Amino acid sequence: MLFNSLEFLLFLPIVFAAYWSLRSWKWQNVLVVVASYVFYGWWDWRFLLLISFTTVCSFLSGVWMDKLGTDTPRTRSYCKWISAGNIIINLSILGVFKYFNFFADSFADLMSAFGWNVDRITLKVILPVGISFYTFQALSYSIDVYKGKIKATTDVVAFFAYISFFPQLVAGPIERATNLLPQFLRAKTFDYQLAKDGARLILWGFFKKICVADNAAKAVDAIYGNIDGSNSTMLWIAAILFTFQIYGDFSGYSDIAIGTARLFGVRLLKNFNLPYISRDIAEFWRRWHISLNKWFIDYIYIPLGGSRVSKAKVLRNTFVIFLVSGLWHGANWTFILWGLYHALLFVPLILLGKNRKNMDVVAANTVFPSLKELLQIAGTFALAVIGWIIFRADNLTQLSQIVGKLLNPDCYGAYQGNIGGAAIVSIAILVTLEWFFRKEDCPLRIPSRYKAVRWAGYYFVAMYTILQYQVAQQFIYFQF
């Protein structure tokens, strides 16, 4: 079920009303699980078998480890193997559904390069929506139980709710059991202020998805659908528009997810923090897809030594997490190349010790940035745009065609096509509101002393979004 579908607009208020009519938090959890399985099974009921298996395996691994304990080297060793077994099972499922055909085709291509022809073995399977998200959420639980960061739960319904909670099930944020699971193990009371904040985020998320992302997608898809007939100017415009499209699409989903969770008294982690006003690429990655980046840092980067090793090893660790991040995004060499590109951008920052330089809010005490900050923001944005060119390409062949045109002066010319006034206006509204309200949790959170202005803003954004809505478009990150 899509957030931006009419079905969801009917589904949400029904579940919301039923949820708060129940007085027992345990029955509320039952409702969450049922609603989440309806929400996820709306695409294909067979997906439910897979997420159920992942949930059961992770739940049982936690119970088993808790029963054995880690008081002695022997039991700790057993728990280590139990955790490892659950990791292997879940990664194997992810590997078969998401990466088997990619590696099989890559192996066949490699053999062909050496003159050996091998039969291509491929599986005709549907990639389950959001499988990478809930798999990583399940893995973190098993690892954290083994490390003693959280006690294993024996409440199977609460655990099912943790894995399948419908607002963030399909495209995150990727939650940790330490944050989300305890919220399903205690009673909740309706918090009007929290729900109001949630409604504001939902409205802003819909604006970013429907007005920014979907409008930009029209021009982007038209240009990428005809690379041969597009000149370099058009390709650059498509790259810039896609930069806003993917941000509006993905962060819009996150806003709707976080806002919807707040309606149910659940607090999810922030997943985006204005990444396009970053002053260097390290700051960009502290602001983009925050939950995934923290997952990689905690479970891959730090175990490899993190930053408390030699610079050579820090560089190695950085390349590892970015290559894994690229592969996480999909079974395509363009994603791996995209990860490698960003890892290379970190090299000078790490060597100069400046990868943690910009930790504060940009232009913290002024309305506008200084010239230096403006140039830094523009430079970082340009680097992000180049990265998204790699990311958006369907394959390496198309990428080489695009890059060839961009580097060829003879391929430049006048823009031929229609960007769409709605896309330009929507992006302008997005940039303006996010800049001037950059210190707020949501750009629509206008200070209360401007009550009339605030409600006028809500009305304008809501009406503008409704007028822009046409047909529910799938979110980009559903494919990951």
Side-chain angles (χ1 to χ4, degrees), residues 81-126:
W81 282 107
I82 293 170
S83 180
N86 184 60
I87 292 171
I88 291 171
I89 289 172
N90 283 297
L91 289 182
S92 296
I93 294 172
L94 181 63
V96 168
F97 280 88
K98 192 169 183 177
Y99 301 107
F100 182 88
N101 290 343
F102 169 69
F103 285 114
D105 287 339
S106 297
F107 176 76
D109 291 339
L110 179 63
M111 292 297 100
S112 297
F114 286 99
W116 300 326
N117 292 323
V118 296
D119 293 332
R120 293 179 183 269
I121 303 174
T122 56
L123 300 177
K124 294 182 179 180
V125 294
I126 301 173

Side-chain angles (χ1 to χ4, degrees), residues 207-388:
F207 168 80
K208 287 200 282 189
K209 167 58 178 172
I210 295 171
C211 302
V212 177
D214 290 351
N215 279 319
K218 296 174 184 176
V220 173
D221 292 344
I223 293 171
Y224 272 86
N226 183 24
I227 300 295
D228 290 334
S230 301
N231 59 40
S232 301
T233 304
M234 297 169 66
L235 292 174
W236 276 118
I237 291 175
I240 294 171
L241 288 175
F242 180 72
T243 298
F244 285 103
Q245 178 196 348
I246 194 168
Y247 172 64
D249 195 284
F250 193 16
S251 70
Y253 180 96
S254 294
D255 287 343
I256 298 171
I258 295 169
T260 302
R262 289 181 182 181
L263 296 181
F264 296 89
V266 175
R267 298 176 184 270
L268 299 180
L269 300 173
K270 192 170 187 174
N271 210 24
F272 288 85
N273 187 20
L274 312 179
Y276 292 153
I277 61 172
S278 301
R279 289 154 291 183
D280 60 50
I281 207 66
E283 184 182 11
F284 171 84
W285 279 105
R286 287 192 292 271
R287 293 172 175 269
W288 179 275
H289 203 175
I290 299 169
S291 62
L292 179 66
N293 295 331
K294 287 186 175 180
W295 200 100
F296 283 130
I297 289 172
D298 289 346
Y299 299 115
I300 298 179
Y301 185 75
I302 291 177
L304 288 173
S307 300
R308 297 183 178 181
V309 289
S310 66
K311 285 192 175 182
K313 290 185 177 179
V314 172
L315 288 171
R316 178 204 63 187
N317 299 343
T318 301
F319 273 81
V320 168
I321 63 169
F322 272 107
L323 289 174
V324 174
S325 176
L327 188 60
W328 178 90
H329 279 83
N332 195 322
W333 285 107
T334 55
F335 295 133
I336 296 175
L337 185 60
W338 171 76
L340 178 62
Y341 165 78
H342 277 280
L344 288 170
L345 295 180
F346 264 77
V347 172
L349 295 176
I350 292 173
L351 293 178
L352 296 173
K354 294 184 177 181
N355 53 309
R356 297 188 65 81
K357 179 182 177 182
N358 295 308
M359 303 294 291
D360 57 336
V361 178
V362 61
N365 301 314
T366 60
V367 176
F368 297 105
S370 65
L371 178 60
K372 179 182 178 181
E373 288 175 323
L374 184 61
L375 292 175
Q376 289 174 330
I377 292 171
T380 304
F381 181 80
L383 293 175
V385 170
I386 294 171
W388 292 128

